[in-house]
Amino acid sequence: MTLYRKNPGTVKLVLLLSLSLMFFTTSFLCAQSNMPDDSYTIITESSKVGPENPRRGLSLLRGLKKHFYDKGSYENIDDFSVYYSVVAAEAGIHANEKKFSTIYRLFGEIGEHIKPLMSMDDQYAAYYYFSKVMILIYKAQENNTVIVGNAKYRGEIKALIEEVKRFNFKEKITQNLVTSHLEQYL
């Protein structure tokens, strides 16, 4: 809660990014998800209450994570899209509690699980690169700074952009969206 008061801009940026990713992915979702229909409502509610009541925010997300582990799958992009939004919301809450190692572990695990799936669907590649930039965002927050325009992180962001440009996306538009998203942090 004190981090939220000291640096509300960073926390709001991360929560906004989480919510924007959530709505970005819903445009791709079909009726193929094994996740509950009200998943995004729960995630939104958790993001709202999390900064002031972390325990409640995390408890709202716990059921969705369990559902993903029990009935969902990384191989189902619809399930994974919901799970990624859960992790992003959870990370925002953990940031307020300064539990950065938990955040790095969460996004690191996502990267490990979806890297082999990147060639299957462009969305996996997008999530992979978004996970990498989320780690940088939280590293900056841990150091009480911001990532946007920060020379310390510029090299890593440029390297990510080059990696995105080299990756063989099936659709050029997805590659352009990921690239422009990363470029906003330079």
Side-chain angles (χ1 to χ4, degrees):
M1 181 152 20
T2 52
L3 183 57
Y4 182 74
R5 289 195 182 114
K6 286 182 182 176
N7 200 352
T10 303
V11 174
K12 286 179 184 177
L13 172 70
V14 171
L15 290 176
L16 182 65
L17 177 62
S18 301
L19 290 174
S20 67
L21 285 172
M22 178 176 70
F23 291 114
F24 170 74
T25 58
T26 56
S27 65
F28 293 107
L29 291 178
C30 304
Q32 312 230 346
S33 179
N34 296 316
M35 299 300 283
D37 292 337
D38 63 345
S39 294
Y40 288 113
T41 304
I42 294 168
I43 294 166
T44 302
E45 180 64 23
S46 172
S47 294
K48 286 179 185 175
V49 301
E52 295 299 323
N53 189 345
R55 184 173 287 167
R56 170 120 169 84
L58 292 172
S59 72
L60 286 168
L61 299 172
R62 200 168 293 120
L64 289 176
K65 282 182 85 169
K66 182 176 179 349
H67 191 91
F68 176 78
Y69 293 140
D70 292 345
K71 297 180 182 173
S73 167
Y74 282 99
E75 288 81 16
N76 181 329
I77 190 67
D78 300 335
D79 292 350
F80 176 70
S81 295
V82 173
Y83 178 69
Y84 187 90
S85 297
V86 168
V87 168
E90 186 178 359
I93 295 168
H94 285 307
N96 288 333
E97 302 295 306
K98 296 187 177 190
K99 295 180 180 176
F100 293 102
S101 61
T102 301
I103 295 168
Y104 304 144
R105 181 185 50 77
L106 288 169
F107 283 113
E109 286 174 2
I110 282 179
E112 287 175 30
H113 285 287
I114 65 172
K115 190 169 186 170
L117 305 173
M118 287 171 62
S119 61
M120 244 174 58
D121 190 308
D122 284 352
Q123 287 184 68
Y124 286 115
Y127 281 120
Y128 178 78
Y129 294 114
F130 290 157
S131 294
K132 286 185 165 256
V133 81
M134 291 298 278
I135 289 171
L136 292 176
I137 289 169
Y138 285 112
K139 280 184 180 179
Q141 185 176 345
E142 183 177 26
N143 294 320
N144 292 319
T145 186
V146 294
I147 191 172
V148 178
N150 190 326
K152 181 177 180 179
Y153 301 101
R154 189 172 293 127
E156 291 181 70
I157 294 169
K158 284 182 178 180
L160 272 178
I161 291 169
E162 289 306 312
E163 191 177 328
V164 168
K165 288 179 179 177
R166 285 190 309 270
F167 184 77
N168 188 21
F169 282 86
K170 292 179 175 120
E171 299 290 331
K172 189 75 171 163
I173 190 165
T174 307
Q175 184 177 31
N176 292 340
L177 285 169
V178 173
T179 301
S180 67
H181 177 78
L182 294 175
E183 286 174 342
Q184 75 181 349
Y185 297 109
L186 291 176

